[in-house]
Amino acid sequence: MSDTDDLAGLLRRIRRVADLSQRDLAAVSGVPQPTIAAAEAGTRGLDARRLARLARVAGLRLVLVDAEGTEVAPMDADAVRDEVGRRYPAHLDTRHGDEGWWHGPHRYDRPPVTYTFTRDRRHRDDVRRLRGTPPDHQRPQPGDGLAERAAARRAAARQAREEERRRRLDAGELAPAALGFDCSCPPACDELDDRSGPPRHAGDCACGCDLS
């Protein structure tokens, strides 16, 4: 069965369910009767918006289904967009702008963005093999801002450093600090510590709270 036969059959099904002639369907839907007649005759096509409008008259709707007959939802209209409100390419995957920041020639002369997408399809495919294919682009969430995410990373680094200090104290690797001692690590320590091993301190850190 050809696409034109499918379309003609769908239009006839719509009219049968709605119990309308071509002329009546045209009057209700606003789609010209000659357009409906030509599509039913297979001499011209019909765009999806008009077909959806005709289907609604009969209480029907257009859907996509996969090979198993399961309905496939449209992509999320509320997914993240770029800085000027444009949608990201549907076939690529979005991510936070500070996550795996690319190392292209414009790394430093373009301002960081809240969201971006993986431009290299080979890299995208490698990530998908490890993590699976996301069903959609991500939705904006509270805390997605670059400053908020940086603050969250610093807080996580401080917590990890404190947990490591307590572990070393409990293990007897560090002498107990004097009463009233307060950690005064500068922010540079948070940025330096990547949590891949023991806590790290910046060169100008006067605290060294976890060092023996």
Side-chain angles (χ1 to χ4, degrees), residues 157-167 183 199 209:
R158 284 194 297 270
Q159 180 179 351
R161 188 164 56 247
E162 175 61 18
E163 290 174 354
E164 175 64 12
R165 187 182 71 85
R166 290 177 181 173
R167 184 197 66 78
C183 175
C209 56

Side-chain angles (χ1 to χ4, degrees), residues 10-83:
L10 289 174
L11 290 172
R12 289 173 59 79
R13 176 61 63 189
I14 288 170
R15 291 203 298 112
R16 184 167 183 82
V17 172
D19 192 19
L20 295 173
S21 67
Q22 289 182 356
R23 191 180 303 277
D24 293 336
L25 181 59
V28 174
S29 67
V31 178
Q33 186 272 333
T35 299
I36 297 173
E40 279 197 23
T43 58
R44 65 172 295 174
L46 194 66
D47 67 55
R49 286 175 295 184
R50 281 184 164 178
L51 182 57
R53 191 190 310 169
L54 295 172
R56 282 196 296 271
V57 172
L60 306 173
R61 62 188 179 93
L62 301 186
V63 298
L64 298 176
V65 295
D66 61 19
E68 285 72 40
T70 302
E71 183 176 331
V72 178
M75 288 195 71
D76 191 349
D78 295 324
V80 297
R81 301 193 181 201
D82 69 12
E83 303 301 302

